[in-house]
Amino acid sequence: MADDNSIIYGLEFQARALAPQLAETEAVRFFVGTQSLKFTQNQIHLVELDEEHSYVNTRVFPHSTGEIWSVSPSPVSADVISTCYNTITEDNSCVMKSALWRLPPAETEDQTDVDQEGGSGSHHSSMNPLECLCELDTMQHGKEVKVSVFHPTDGSRVMSVVDNHFLLFDVGESSPKLISKGTLEGKGQPRFMTGKWNSHHKCTQFVTASECSIRSWDLREDNKQAWCIDGAHSQLVRDFDINPNKQYYIASGGDDGSTKFWDVRNPSEPVISISDHSHWVWAVRYNHFHDQLVLTSSSDARLVLTSVASISSEPDGHLGAPEDEVDSKNGRLADGILATYDQHEDSVYSVEWSVADPWTFASLSYDGRLVINKVPKAVKYKILL
């Protein structure tokens, strides 16, 4: 797969849920969840990049319980995921639910060769459905389940974000057990937009976004607030990400079209603020290995790769390089836009880096178009050489 060649995979239905397969570190794989209004038609796609032949292989599993709003993979079991989905109850009311699923073994699949947009590959339709491991009991705590995310290292712990609550479940037993609950108090029934584990501090903090603010909660101190960036954006905060290599730095994106980078020790103003999008920023992601690389996606149908080398863990171009050995012209990555991708024709709701290859990433737009790209070679060499 050449760096200037994108691989495009088209889904039959609309989609917004995208996640890398965290427990798979050898192959580039992503989960995609669909949002068909006909609930029984929804699917989970497991898409694998074949770099040698420049196409993707896919396995498709029916998710007949409803339209998928988020997918979260287990960090320890490659065949286990959680989904948050919209479904219809027996009294014909529409509710949000969350459940854990296990994928059927690969050898039970029937394979059919198909042509895909941007390349040919193999398409596997599952003969066996996803196995429902458990359904998380969230309905008594609220109606809107935003995400159910696994603990970064413990596959038996799942945190669900529901309305103004975050609920920690132990899913290691035969049935999920609620072991902790945190609540955002405030006027006007505040609600969380999303939540993520902080992999620093021994994973004892959980971070949430609500309205225009971002908060961290200390799970060791009865879910007390650890820090807060109040008014992080002038409009709704859509997403944020935590720098994997610098524990006090986070990035956020919002409806004001801006991406901001924060040092939570001084939350009064952002360290860097950029406005590379003309509409809402739906997703922001640090590269897992080279945190000077940041991806943002927006409902302006664009994807932007940005450098924030000046505040990264590799400020001199590559980790541990002595200052007198750094070529300021060729060895250091300057801050600013590195590349803009416009292969999408609809709002780009999700973007994710591959776990197996730090130079590969995928983006997903609402029209069901998944695009897999690579970091440009010139950028890669500036970081590595």
Side-chain angles (χ1 to χ4, degrees), residues 18-32 45-51 56-59 61 73 77-79 103 106 124 288 352-357 360-362 370 372:
L18 172 68
Q21 190 178 33
L22 294 179
E24 174 56 63
T25 58
E26 299 298 325
V28 175
R29 292 178 184 165
F30 297 94
F31 290 105
V32 183
H45 292 237
L46 179 57
V47 182
E48 179 177 342
L49 173 65
D50 186 327
E51 294 193 66
V56 294
N57 298 316
T58 62
R59 297 170 62 198
F61 313 98
S77 301
D79 60 347
L103 278 59
H124 307 250
H288 303 302
E352 295 286 354
W353 292 97
S354 165
V355 175
D357 179 10
T360 301
F361 56 91
L370 177 74
I372 300 178

Side-chain angles (χ1 to χ4, degrees), residues 245-282:
N245 301 328
K246 295 188 73 173
Q247 62 178 337
Y248 297 112
Y249 283 77
I250 72 169
S252 62
D255 283 4
D256 54 7
S258 65
T259 306
K260 297 183 180 181
F261 298 85
W262 305 88
D263 182 341
V264 299
R265 296 168 297 185
N266 182 22
S268 59
E269 59 180 0
V271 181
I272 295 177
S273 179
I274 55 180
S275 298
D276 296 333
H277 292 283
S278 59
H279 210 264
W280 302 347
V281 176
W282 277 96

Side-chain angles (χ1 to χ4, degrees), residues 59-62 104-105 108-110 124-130:
R59 297 170 62 198
V60 183
F61 313 98
T108 65
E109 310 293 314
D110 278 351
H124 307 250
S125 294
S126 178
M127 298 299 293
N128 294 332
L130 295 166

